[in-house]
Amino acid sequence: MLYLASYYGSPTADESLGYRIKASIGDAITRFITRGRFSHCELVTPLDNGNYLCYSSSIRDKGVRKKEIHLRPDAWVLAPVSNYSAYDPSLHNLEKLEDYYLQYKDYEYDFLGAVGIILGTTQRNHKLFCSEFVAGFLGLQEPWRYHPNLLAALLRKD
């Protein structure tokens, strides 16, 4: 099963104080600008050990990556990708996600693109931010226009 994981938490105590301060400020700015609860998103699939295999573009990891992460329930909300109204299982499966990841794995994190959501800038070559990566996989037009809160709204079922 494939999920959108939306982050609303705060950095953990095991991370450096400097990182925690920068990450908290960045998260707060993202949430304020996008007028929502979330500051980051990932495409994830559960692993047998309770962790998740996560695909995204991360400022912390300097770009597109896949990584095993323990998603704390007090920091993440999961929504099945199948909730997306244009869901097509032939397009949105784990094999396709791996292919999509391999296509973009060398792309750097697009900080200016993420900021561009409010500034109105367009796609930058060979760079992606988290929600742009996810929106692109979902096949959304102009994926650079999407932020984590907008994607969460698209996949939410009330």
Side-chain angles (χ1 to χ4, degrees):
M1 179 74 122
L2 186 59
Y3 297 91
L4 172 72
S6 301
Y7 180 73
Y8 69 93
S10 58
T12 60
D14 63 333
E15 295 168 307
S16 74
L17 178 60
Y19 173 78
R20 290 194 321 261
I21 291 169
K22 286 191 282 187
S24 294
I25 291 169
D27 289 343
I29 290 169
T30 301
R31 291 171 182 144
F32 177 78
I33 289 170
T34 62
R35 294 174 282 149
R37 178 180 182 195
F38 305 114
S39 60
H40 179 68
C41 62
E42 307 260 346
L43 289 166
V44 307
T45 186
L47 299 172
D48 292 337
N49 63 5
N51 290 338
Y52 289 81
L53 186 56
C54 302
Y55 296 81
S56 190
S57 184
S58 165
I59 194 167
R60 181 178 182 184
D61 295 315
K62 299 179 176 57
V64 174
R65 55 92 177 113
K66 80 174 173 180
K67 181 177 185 178
E68 182 175 329
I69 301 175
H70 172 72
L71 300 181
R72 299 183 347 251
D74 65 333
W76 295 87
V77 172
L78 300 182
V81 169
S82 59
N83 284 357
Y84 174 50
S85 63
Y87 177 72
D88 180 346
S90 68
L91 297 175
H92 303 131
N93 62 42
L94 298 177
E95 184 178 309
K96 299 287 184 183
L97 178 56
E98 183 67 21
D99 291 344
Y100 183 77
Y101 160 74
L102 291 173
Q103 181 180 352
Y104 294 103
K105 73 181 179 90
D106 295 324
Y107 279 42
E108 296 175 9
Y109 185 80
D110 189 2
F111 178 77
L112 291 178
V115 172
I117 287 175
I118 54 164
L119 298 178
T121 59
T122 60
Q123 166 67 41
R124 293 168 34 107
N125 290 336
H126 304 295
K127 294 185 178 199
L128 294 170
F129 52 93
C130 65
S131 50
E132 181 180 19
F133 177 86
V134 172
F137 176 73
L138 293 175
L140 297 169
Q141 296 298 311
E142 300 179 335
W144 46 270
R145 294 187 183 272
Y146 291 83
H147 54 74
N149 288 293
L150 184 51
L151 288 175
L154 284 174
L155 272 70
R156 183 176 53 228
K157 283 222 175 175
D158 295 327

